[in-house]
Amino acid sequence: MKTAWTFPGQGSQYDRFLHHLPHHEKVSETIDEASKLLGEDILSLSEERHLASTRNVQLTMLTAGVAVARALLYEGVKPDYVAGHSVGAFGAAVVSNVMTFEQALLTVKLRGELMESLQDERYGMAVVIGLREEQLLAVVETIHSEEQPVYVSNRNAPKQLTLSGHKEAMEHVLDYVRQRGATTAKLLNVSTPSHSSLFLPVQRALEERLNSYTLNRPNFPFIANRHARVLRNVEAIKQDLAESIALPVRWHDATTVLYENGVRLFVEMPPGDVLKKLASSAFPDAASYSIEKNGFSDCLYVLQHKGVY
């Protein structure tokens, strides 16, 4: 049975989540390494008072995913594929040996800081559940304008989509779709219109940073955010890591590609279990686990026995 390790994106964080990681020497080593490289206590950055910062959320989420994945590798299990949602892709890149943890931390730090510099209370994201992509796109096209842009961003499931852009424009979209079959249509508590062309300046800065590094061919195939292809070429992965901030995350397509390539066991790194739930819903005949909800020991056992539990 083929396995995929998945790494969640921003939104799965909660107060002190780094304090709840599995007790394992590789987890402790990774926490210490992150604190040393950043010159600040990474554990404290996962406390609620610091999680208002996009920078801190992304750094702590990267650390959580890498720490637990390293513990699993130490215990002798390996993935057949890796995939990360948005910033989670950097954790996947570290675990597949495309980049070092230090390179990822410094790049994600830059990513978060640049995103914060573009924060504007007039902009943000929203979620729409119950409509298909083509239906939502048709609505967005009638409301989008240069003055008040709105975009369909992440494709998490066939009928679970997000919007990014000007809040007033998004409110018009949400009002419209509520009357036309959307079961959920609401603004999210964020002021960063991620995965839209509004973040092209961040993309360009990430390209420059990533081009300054020597990266490696992946040990485990890497699934792209922006077009859901299986990537084995380091330049293609570098391009995906930079461009995905300004392009939609095609997560459902990515997990579909994994399934079509024989993956029948999905294991989500911390924090949370959002990706586990999406995989379970999309592929009910596949086994889906999350380290946080199922426990490190149980997930390790499942990985060691290829899904036999």
Short mmCIF file of all heavy atoms in Angstrom, two decimals, residues 6 8 11-14 268-280 288-294:
data_model
loop_
_atom_site.label_atom_id
_atom_site.label_comp_id
_atom_site.label_asym_id
_atom_site.label_seq_id
_atom_site.Cartn_x
_atom_site.Cartn_y
_atom_site.Cartn_z
N THR A 6 0.96 14.25 4.45
CA THR A 6 0.45 15.57 4.09
C THR A 6 0.71 16.57 5.21
O THR A 6 0.71 16.22 6.39
CB THR A 6 -1.05 15.51 3.75
OG1 THR A 6 -1.79 15.08 4.91
CG2 THR A 6 -1.32 14.56 2.59
N PRO A 8 -0.44 20.37 6.67
CA PRO A 8 -1.53 21.35 6.57
C PRO A 8 -1.04 22.78 6.39
O PRO A 8 0.12 23.11 6.67
CB PRO A 8 -2.26 21.20 7.92
CG PRO A 8 -1.17 20.77 8.86
CD PRO A 8 -0.28 19.87 8.05
N GLY A 11 -4.36 27.96 9.32
CA GLY A 11 -5.76 27.80 9.70
C GLY A 11 -5.95 26.64 10.66
O GLY A 11 -6.95 26.59 11.39
N SER A 12 -5.00 25.71 10.68
CA SER A 12 -5.08 24.56 11.59
C SER A 12 -4.45 24.84 12.94
O SER A 12 -4.56 24.02 13.86
CB SER A 12 -4.39 23.34 10.95
OG SER A 12 -5.09 22.92 9.80
N GLN A 13 -3.81 25.98 13.10
CA GLN A 13 -3.11 26.30 14.34
C GLN A 13 -4.09 26.56 15.48
O GLN A 13 -5.24 26.94 15.25
CB GLN A 13 -2.20 27.50 14.15
CG GLN A 13 -2.91 28.83 14.00
CD GLN A 13 -3.40 29.13 12.60
OE1 GLN A 13 -3.28 28.32 11.68
NE2 GLN A 13 -3.97 30.31 12.42
N TYR A 14 -3.62 26.38 16.71
CA TYR A 14 -4.39 26.71 17.91
C TYR A 14 -3.40 27.00 19.03
O TYR A 14 -2.21 26.71 18.91
CB TYR A 14 -5.36 25.58 18.29
CG TYR A 14 -4.69 24.26 18.56
CD1 TYR A 14 -4.24 23.92 19.84
CD2 TYR A 14 -4.49 23.33 17.53
CE1 TYR A 14 -3.60 22.71 20.08
CE2 TYR A 14 -3.86 22.12 17.77
CZ TYR A 14 -3.42 21.82 19.05
OH TYR A 14 -2.79 20.62 19.29
N GLU A 268 -1.64 12.74 8.04
CA GLU A 268 -1.46 14.19 8.15
C GLU A 268 -0.58 14.54 9.33
O GLU A 268 -0.81 14.10 10.46
CB GLU A 268 -2.82 14.87 8.30
CG GLU A 268 -2.74 16.39 8.40
CD GLU A 268 -4.10 17.04 8.54
OE1 GLU A 268 -5.12 16.32 8.58
OE2 GLU A 268 -4.14 18.29 8.62
N MET A 269 0.43 15.37 9.07
CA MET A 269 1.29 15.88 10.12
C MET A 269 0.53 16.98 10.89
O MET A 269 -0.44 17.54 10.42
CB MET A 269 2.57 16.46 9.53
CG MET A 269 3.40 15.48 8.71
SD MET A 269 3.97 14.03 9.61
CE MET A 269 3.02 12.73 8.78
N PRO A 270 1.00 17.30 12.12
CA PRO A 270 0.31 18.33 12.90
C PRO A 270 0.54 19.73 12.34
O PRO A 270 1.51 19.94 11.62
CB PRO A 270 0.95 18.19 14.30
CG PRO A 270 1.90 17.08 14.24
CD PRO A 270 2.11 16.69 12.82
N PRO A 271 -0.34 20.66 12.78
CA PRO A 271 -1.46 20.49 13.69
C PRO A 271 -2.76 20.16 12.96
O PRO A 271 -2.88 20.37 11.76
CB PRO A 271 -1.55 21.87 14.35
CG PRO A 271 -1.14 22.82 13.27
CD PRO A 271 -0.05 22.09 12.51
N GLY A 272 -3.74 19.65 13.71
CA GLY A 272 -5.09 19.47 13.21
C GLY A 272 -5.31 18.23 12.36
O GLY A 272 -4.44 17.36 12.22
N ASP A 273 -6.53 18.16 11.79
CA ASP A 273 -6.91 17.01 10.97
C ASP A 273 -7.75 17.43 9.77
O ASP A 273 -8.53 16.64 9.24
CB ASP A 273 -7.66 15.99 11.81
CG ASP A 273 -8.99 16.51 12.36
OD1 ASP A 273 -9.22 17.73 12.31
OD2 ASP A 273 -9.81 15.69 12.81
N VAL A 274 -7.58 18.67 9.30
CA VAL A 274 -8.34 19.16 8.15
C VAL A 274 -8.09 18.31 6.91
O VAL A 274 -9.03 17.91 6.20
CB VAL A 274 -7.99 20.64 7.86
CG1 VAL A 274 -8.59 21.09 6.55
CG2 VAL A 274 -8.47 21.53 8.99
N LEU A 275 -6.83 18.02 6.63
CA LEU A 275 -6.49 17.26 5.42
C LEU A 275 -6.94 15.80 5.54
O LEU A 275 -7.32 15.18 4.53
CB LEU A 275 -4.98 17.33 5.16
CG LEU A 275 -4.41 18.75 5.03
CD1 LEU A 275 -2.93 18.69 4.68
CD2 LEU A 275 -5.18 19.57 4.00
N LYS A 276 -6.90 15.26 6.73
CA LYS A 276 -7.42 13.91 6.97
C LYS A 276 -8.90 13.84 6.60
O LYS A 276 -9.35 12.91 5.92
CB LYS A 276 -7.23 13.52 8.43
CG LYS A 276 -7.97 12.26 8.87
CD LYS A 276 -7.91 12.08 10.37
CE LYS A 276 -8.66 10.84 10.85
NZ LYS A 276 -10.12 10.94 10.58
N LYS A 277 -9.67 14.83 7.05
CA LYS A 277 -11.11 14.87 6.77
C LYS A 277 -11.38 15.01 5.28
O LYS A 277 -12.29 14.36 4.73
CB LYS A 277 -11.76 16.01 7.54
CG LYS A 277 -11.82 15.79 9.04
CD LYS A 277 -12.41 17.01 9.75
CE LYS A 277 -12.49 16.79 11.25
NZ LYS A 277 -12.98 18.02 11.95
N LEU A 278 -10.60 15.84 4.60
CA LEU A 278 -10.78 16.00 3.16
C LEU A 278 -10.48 14.70 2.42
O LEU A 278 -11.21 14.32 1.49
CB LEU A 278 -9.88 17.13 2.65
CG LEU A 278 -10.28 18.55 3.05
CD1 LEU A 278 -9.20 19.55 2.62
CD2 LEU A 278 -11.63 18.95 2.47
N ALA A 279 -9.42 14.01 2.83
CA ALA A 279 -9.08 12.74 2.18
C ALA A 279 -10.14 11.68 2.45
O ALA A 279 -10.53 10.92 1.55
CB ALA A 279 -7.71 12.25 2.65
N SER A 280 -10.64 11.63 3.68
CA SER A 280 -11.67 10.65 4.03
C SER A 280 -12.94 10.87 3.22
O SER A 280 -13.59 9.92 2.77
CB SER A 280 -12.00 10.74 5.52
OG SER A 280 -10.90 10.35 6.31
N SER A 288 -7.28 7.14 6.18
CA SER A 288 -6.80 8.50 6.43
C SER A 288 -6.62 8.70 7.93
O SER A 288 -7.53 8.41 8.72
CB SER A 288 -7.80 9.54 5.90
OG SER A 288 -7.98 9.40 4.51
N TYR A 289 -5.44 9.19 8.31
CA TYR A 289 -5.10 9.38 9.72
C TYR A 289 -4.50 10.76 9.91
O TYR A 289 -3.96 11.35 8.96
CB TYR A 289 -4.10 8.33 10.19
CG TYR A 289 -4.64 6.91 10.22
CD1 TYR A 289 -4.66 6.13 9.08
CD2 TYR A 289 -5.13 6.38 11.41
CE1 TYR A 289 -5.16 4.84 9.11
CE2 TYR A 289 -5.63 5.08 11.46
CZ TYR A 289 -5.64 4.33 10.30
OH TYR A 289 -6.15 3.05 10.34
N SER A 290 -4.56 11.25 11.13
CA SER A 290 -3.81 12.45 11.49
C SER A 290 -3.06 12.15 12.77
O SER A 290 -3.57 11.49 13.67
CB SER A 290 -4.74 13.66 11.65
OG SER A 290 -5.01 13.96 12.98
N ILE A 291 -1.81 12.63 12.82
CA ILE A 291 -0.98 12.42 14.01
C ILE A 291 -1.69 12.96 15.24
O ILE A 291 -1.72 12.32 16.30
CB ILE A 291 0.39 13.09 13.84
CG1 ILE A 291 1.17 12.47 12.66
CG2 ILE A 291 1.19 13.01 15.14
CD1 ILE A 291 1.62 11.05 12.87
N GLU A 292 -2.28 14.13 15.11
CA GLU A 292 -2.88 14.78 16.27
C GLU A 292 -4.11 14.04 16.79
O GLU A 292 -4.27 13.85 17.99
CB GLU A 292 -3.25 16.22 15.94
CG GLU A 292 -3.78 16.97 17.15
CD GLU A 292 -3.64 18.47 16.99
OE1 GLU A 292 -2.50 18.95 16.85
OE2 GLU A 292 -4.67 19.14 17.00
N LYS A 293 -4.98 13.59 15.89
CA LYS A 293 -6.24 12.97 16.32
C LYS A 293 -6.08 11.48 16.59
O LYS A 293 -6.75 10.94 17.48
CB LYS A 293 -7.32 13.19 15.26
CG LYS A 293 -7.66 14.66 15.03
CD LYS A 293 -8.17 15.33 16.30
CE LYS A 293 -8.50 16.79 16.05
NZ LYS A 293 -8.96 17.48 17.27
N ASN A 294 -5.22 10.80 15.85
CA ASN A 294 -5.06 9.35 16.01
C ASN A 294 -3.90 8.96 16.90
O ASN A 294 -3.84 7.83 17.38
CB ASN A 294 -4.91 8.66 14.64
CG ASN A 294 -6.14 8.85 13.77
OD1 ASN A 294 -6.12 9.66 12.85
ND2 ASN A 294 -7.22 8.14 14.07
#
